[in-house]
Amino acid sequence: MKYNETITYYDELNDDFANKIKHVKPLPKRYKIYSKNPFFLLFNFIMYWIIVRPIAFFYMKFRFHYKIRNKKILKNLKHQGYLIFANHTLIMGDAFSLNLVDLRRRNYIVTGEETNSLKKILPLLRSLGLLPVTKDLKRNKELIAAIKYITKKKKNTVTIFPEAHIWPYYTDIRNFRFESFKYAVLLDIPVVTLTNCYSKKKHGKRPKITGYLAGPFYPDKTLNKKDAAIKLRNDAYSSMKENKKYSSYSYYNYVRGNKDE
């Protein structure tokens, strides 16, 4: 797609303008969502801290002049891990920007089922911190255990994109479901939101990006699990809608279409 191109969307919950994987395959049976094997841990450490983290930093700084605002909210989370909920508007940029939120910690990303189809590179993706979702109940428990270990034991961060699908350079916040907030409720983990906003550079058409943090939000223990997840979703959504006001530049033009036309 080219600059200033018009993109027509019909469904905020399901339209995707970046994912090219159409046939989703199940997660391989022998594949571990989070491996504690010493060899894998060493490999993961090298890949993430020595290779990926520096690349992410320079990529975001030079390509998008990336900055993060309101980091002061993280002061109350020094001694615990947390979940980050972010808007989904770039492929590499979204994954890389999350590594700049909290430089003291390693970040992991919960990915959609389409990742399961990339069987040949799944171990590599795991080393980069990707945690694939699966509909299999047993494997879903494995994912929950991984999130618990990462946030509770290792005190690192796990990111979820509640919008699920990528809309490149989209400047608003799309409607999203509450189900992904069940992880925070089930494991009693605080939630922080990251809203990446776009503004114009002095030179060139590609925008610069500023990420705005909000929170932390905590599960309401007076509510049942479903209602607590819905409340967390609403808190996160409201904070992201509030911060999206800092987007002032549209690289693409999104317009709502009518399927009946």
Side-chain angles (χ1 to χ4, degrees), residues 129-142:
L130 272 63
L131 305 170
V133 166
T134 172
K135 291 180 180 179
D136 184 283
L137 183 59
K138 183 178 179 180
R139 304 311 297 274
N140 187 49
K141 289 181 179 179
E142 185 181 343

Side-chain angles (χ1 to χ4, degrees), residues 179-195:
E179 281 80 3
S180 58
F181 291 85
K182 289 181 178 180
Y183 297 119
V185 174
L186 181 64
L187 300 174
D188 192 22
I189 307 173
V191 166
V192 166
T193 62
L194 172 68
T195 308

